[in-house]
Amino acid sequence: MLESAAGEVLHTHTFDDHHAYTPDEIQHILSDAKKHSADAVVVTEKDWVKWHGPLTGLDINNDTPPIIRPVLGVRFTTGEAAIQTLLKTGEATG
């Protein structure tokens, strides 16, 4: 999905869900991005919350690629009214 929206993914780092990132791990990811001449580092919004604290104090300068956190949303192409009713009342319609 990322490649179709933004272009080539040069490298990935995979961690378990609910991973508590350390400053060293984040520094390694940022250094790896520089090594691969990445235009940006992309993290989920959920992981950005976990990165925010450990980023403090890291050696981030002008040659560090920006960190991007895409905000994803849901758009219904059909059945939106039924879904909204279910969310509001807990009861399915039709």
Side-chain angles (χ1 to χ4, degrees):
M1 189 161 82
L2 180 60
E3 282 185 338
S4 67
E8 182 183 7
V9 173
L10 300 175
H11 192 72
T12 61
H13 291 267
T14 305
F15 296 89
D16 291 334
D17 198 20
H18 304 289
H19 181 75
Y21 294 92
T22 67
D24 287 342
E25 289 171 330
I26 294 172
Q27 187 68 61
H28 173 74
I29 292 167
L30 296 176
S31 296
D32 207 30
K34 282 191 231 182
K35 180 177 83 175
H36 286 90
S37 300
D39 291 330
V41 173
V42 180
V43 298
T44 64
E45 195 165 12
K46 180 178 161 185
D47 283 336
W48 170 251
V49 172
K50 298 175 195 173
W51 277 43
H52 194 70
L55 277 171
T56 305
L58 292 183
D59 182 24
I60 297 175
N61 51 47
N62 290 340
D63 68 339
T64 301
I67 302 166
I68 298 173
R69 61 180 200 275
V71 177
L72 303 178
V74 176
R75 184 183 57 159
F76 298 99
T77 56
T78 62
E80 181 176 0
I83 294 291
Q84 293 297 338
T85 299
L86 178 61
L87 291 173
K88 290 177 185 172
T89 66
E91 298 178 16
T93 61

